[in-house]
Amino acid sequence: MLYLFCVILSGAILAAICTPLFRKEATLESAIIEETEWDLLQRKKEIILGNIQDLDFEYKCGKLSEEDYQKIRGEMNAEAALVFREVENLESSADLDALIRREISARKVRSKTAATTACPSCGSKNPMTNKFCAECGAGLKH
């Protein structure tokens, strides 16, 4: 009985400690840290280029035949070209200001789904985490 109590108590303590680590916050700080489409494409590009370097190394070490190397290298080159094209399309779509405006509008849409509270002074909607209204500066009561 004592062992069961200790196991339950240990599980409860572990859950209390780990809960904040896996909770996603809808604060401005967490929104800034979120990855954009450009960030994801850059990471994908780095991974593909690293894979190509590894493939070249393995071929030079004699681990791959010429036929396998050419086949895999062709597939990786095609994938890299596709990612490069997507990055270029994203960066050249009008200009970087348009990219920033699209990202801001996408984040606004995501933030609208988060819980909000109305300002008692001006009536604008603010995230529940705000202590003051973003429009007029009045104190918010939660």
Side-chain angles (χ1 to χ4, degrees):
M1 185 68 171
L2 180 62
Y3 291 117
L4 180 64
F5 176 73
C6 290
V7 168
I8 292 172
L9 182 63
S10 298
I13 291 172
L14 184 64
I17 292 172
C18 292
T19 300
L21 298 175
F22 299 106
R23 187 176 358 154
K24 184 173 182 177
E25 296 182 17
T27 62
L28 180 61
E29 292 82 14
S30 66
I32 291 172
I33 295 173
E34 287 181 13
E35 287 188 322
T36 62
E37 183 180 353
W38 186 83
D39 294 326
L40 294 172
L41 286 172
Q42 290 296 325
R43 186 162 17 114
K44 190 173 181 181
K45 180 176 83 171
E46 290 173 12
I47 290 170
I48 292 170
L49 293 176
N51 289 344
I52 290 173
Q53 286 179 336
D54 291 343
L55 180 71
D56 290 343
F57 178 75
E58 289 180 10
Y59 174 69
K60 289 176 184 175
C61 289
K63 293 182 179 180
L64 291 172
S65 67
E66 176 72 27
E67 180 183 314
D68 289 340
Y69 171 72
Q70 293 300 330
K71 178 184 174 198
I72 296 171
R73 179 69 190 241
E75 292 170 0
M76 286 184 171
N77 285 344
E79 189 176 356
L82 180 65
V83 171
F84 287 145
R85 214 172 303 121
E86 288 178 16
V87 168
E88 187 166 329
N89 288 341
L90 192 63
E91 288 177 347
S92 68
S93 59
D95 57 338
L96 291 178
D97 291 333
L99 177 65
I100 292 169
R101 283 192 294 276
R102 281 197 311 273
E103 185 64 32
I104 289 172
S105 65
R107 288 185 184 205
K108 282 182 181 178
V109 168
R110 285 193 302 251
S111 69
K112 286 182 181 177
T113 60
T116 59
T117 182
C119 174
S121 180
C122 68
S124 67
K125 293 185 177 182
N126 292 280
M128 293 296 288
T129 56
N130 285 12
K131 294 182 181 178
F132 299 95
C133 177
E135 294 294 322
C136 67
L140 298 175
K141 297 176 184 173
H142 297 289

